[in-house]
Amino acid sequence: MKKFYLLTLLLSFVFIGCNKDDDGGNNNNSAQVIDSWKLIGWVDNEVTPPQFHPEEECYSEVITFNDNNTGTVVINDCDAPAENTSFSWAASGNGVYTLQSGGLSETINISFPEGNDKMYVTYPGDGPDADIYQRQ
C-alpha cells in the first residue's frame, strides 16, 4: 500500500518520461502500456501465498498512456479535490520506466504477469509489493 501512495504522490507531481522504446518481450514492449488503466488494488508479495488488497471505494486513479509518449493521470482521493496531471513517458528496457516532472525523477517497473489486461507497477528498492491496474 505504501508503494501505491508513493506512486500517487509522484504522479501528482511527475511526468512520465524516457528516451526509447523497449526491445520487445512481455515486459519489454512499451506498446503494452498504451491505453487507460484504472487502479484496482495492490498485491502483498511478502506473504505466501501473495494477497490481493482491493482499492478503497472512495479512491480512484486512472492513468492514460498515449502512443506519442504523453498521457494523463486523474486521481480522485475520497474527500480531496480531483487531480489531473499531464505527463510524458517512454521505456528504457526490461519493463523499466522513468518518471520525470519539474526536475523530479523516479524509476518504476511495469509488468504484465496476468496478460495484457492487468498492469503491475513495482518500485525498485522498495520491496516486492505491486500496485495493480486494470485496462479500461
Side-chain angles (χ1 to χ4, degrees), residues 4-5 20 33-34 49 55 63 68 83 94 107 113 121 132:
F4 160 71
Y5 289 112
K20 67 176 188 169
V33 302
I34 298 171
E55 193 44 59
I63 300 173
N68 65 353
E83 297 177 39
N94 295 321
T107 301
V121 177
I132 304 172

Side-chain angles (χ1 to χ4, degrees), residues 78-113:
C78 302
D79 296 325
E83 297 177 39
N84 187 336
T85 304
S86 296
F87 59 84
S88 61
W89 72 273
S92 58
N94 295 321
V96 177
Y97 292 73
T98 301
L99 311 179
Q100 298 178 332
S101 177
L104 300 175
S105 178
E106 174 141 6
T107 301
I108 63 171
N109 294 320
I110 294 178
S111 63
F112 302 90

Side-chain angles (χ1 to χ4, degrees), residues 1-107:
M1 190 66 156
K2 167 176 79 171
K3 293 164 190 65
F4 160 71
Y5 289 112
L6 176 62
L7 179 64
T8 300
L9 178 63
L10 183 62
L11 289 178
S12 296
F13 302 104
V14 175
F15 291 52
I16 298 180
C18 285
N19 56 15
K20 67 176 188 169
D21 285 343
D22 283 336
D23 295 325
N26 192 36
N27 290 333
N28 294 332
N29 188 353
S30 64
Q32 284 180 293
V33 302
I34 298 171
D35 210 337
S36 290
W37 300 89
K38 181 176 182 177
L39 181 70
I40 59 171
W42 64 284
V43 65
D44 181 353
N45 288 313
E46 296 180 308
V47 297
T48 302
Q51 294 180 335
F52 175 75
H53 300 275
E55 193 44 59
E56 297 177 37
E57 283 187 33
C58 67
Y59 183 90
S60 70
E61 178 178 316
V62 175
I63 300 173
T64 301
F65 294 90
N66 300 314
D67 61 0
N68 65 353
N69 293 68
T70 64
T72 58
V73 59
V74 178
I75 299 170
N76 291 296
D77 189 2
C78 302
D79 296 325
E83 297 177 39
N84 187 336
T85 304
S86 296
F87 59 84
S88 61
W89 72 273
S92 58
N94 295 321
V96 177
Y97 292 73
T98 301
L99 311 179
Q100 298 178 332
S101 177
L104 300 175
S105 178
E106 174 141 6
T107 301

